[in-house]
Amino acid sequence: MRLPIPLPEEPSLSSQDVTIIIPTLDGDGAGLRETVSSCLATEPQEILLVTIDANLKKLSELARSMNSPRIRIFSVAHANKRRQMCRAIPEVTTKITIFADDDISWPRTILPWILAPFETDNIGGVGTCQRLRRPDRSNVWDFLGALYLERRNFEISATTHLDGGISCLSGRTVAYRTLILQDPAFTYGFTHEYWLRSYQLNADDDNFITRWMLSHGWKTHVQYHKEAELSTTLEGNPKFLKQCLRWSRSNWRSNLTSMLSERYIWRKQPWSAYALHLSTLWPGALVGDFLLTFLCYKATEDCSDDTQALALALLGFWMFMSKFLKLIGHFIRYPEDVLFFPVSIAFGYLHGFIKAYAFLTLNVISDQHRMHRIRSWARSKAHASGYNPFAADGQRPAILPLANPNTKREKTVITKNDTNDADDKDAAPIVDVTHNNVADERPAVLPPPAPPPAHVDAAGETSSAVDETELKTHIFARFFQTSKMILFSSWLNVLLIFVPVGIAVEFTSVSPTIVFALNAIAIVPLAGLLSYATESVARRMGDTVGALMNITFGNAVELIILYVYP
């Protein structure tokens, strides 16, 4: 484990240089109250809470009950974590901004340890050690959640020590220099990140900022110290599997972006690229352990039975210890959990299937259960909050720019005893009563109308003369762009390399089983392309024709396999 950066004797930063931003959806609850209370105990300059319009009233009541002038409240129209964060960023006036989830609890000593690395000028982001808040009566899901965080702590501490790399500074609690976050280029990139240029991302915010640090020359650090250790909660029921699925999708998207698109990690953090990013491509513990066992068995076939048994036993012991050592910190704190270790091994094998399913569903960018809750809240409470999206233009609340800290807003200050004493030091939090603070990208002055398209005159008449060479060039360009769009529509298309390979091995003396296996793999991306084609036809020709195409070609893969390998 990497030693934490110690506290400086004469620090240049203090808790008064810190603003904490907490995006929240609920607007109330014991978990949020505990989070805000633990943050207030560290005496930051301010705490900015950002919720949705429908829950603004509940959050205001919670903040008023806590009776602290350090709290300010804002809201956005729709649930969107990135927009919630960007709503508060322009309001920050301190040197350091800390993002925190609404289900964490801090020790009172955490801020000095978070601030210590910022004494080095090139440190742009600092993370912390995380532990699961252990309930009074824990179950197997709590155990798996605790081990998930323990394993993560082990892995990123090692890579941070070797080359300063980390796949993601977790958003549960992470600190950044404010000047980085208030850069307009960051704001635009943060709110306009797309997966495959088609799916706008709301989650994966911590992955984006971590990559931004690396691509813009900033270093990151993780403080591993008992006094900088936060506690958090995870799902203590089967919903934990959905959390793992969501995290796996985020890891796939971010790590593939780092390796294939941005590519800074290969030069700046080679060990992290190997240990964290390339491991994303590994099929999982189940396949890996099976392959290692099979290869060990084949490699010792010519040895005596005792030698082969010894080799397999040593391999099994090595596999066991590699899984146990990452978790030894947890077992030292809770020795009774050793009995659950076989469950951890079984879950590691299951996680391989979760990881594979996450890869096949990378285009799913939000949790459906969470979106259902969001829509339910919006339908039931939007009008109660005073915001009506269907009202006339003059009756809707004003829409504020995303990054304009100088914009004047109405603010209501409610004092402790509802008096008008301006000198009351126990004033309740400042509440921003502006409802919709989502970025309005519409310019104040509309641009001039676009010029008429090629071969159309100003009166709207189509020109009869068309350059034949230009038309051919346009056709070829369109064909190239369409082919590129189809090939890059899914990461499964990487497997198209098996199409020529499967054809070529047919003319060799390779075993028919291998020929079939290679061609079966080649069918997978071809089936995806077939589905893509039928969906494209449906968009052009209508649902009826699209359904007919799906019925006609949907079982093509099964028919091919049935015909070739009866």
Side-chain angles (χ1 to χ4, degrees), residues 459-479:
E461 299 294 334
T462 304
S463 302
S464 57
V466 178
D467 189 349
E468 185 176 351
T469 304
E470 181 181 354
L471 183 59
K472 289 182 178 180
T473 304
H474 174 71
I475 292 174
F476 284 121
R478 183 177 177 183
F479 175 80

Side-chain angles (χ1 to χ4, degrees), residues 424-437:
D424 188 352
K425 295 182 180 180
D426 294 326
I430 297 177
V431 181
D432 191 325
V433 298
T434 306
H435 291 281
N436 187 358
N437 298 306

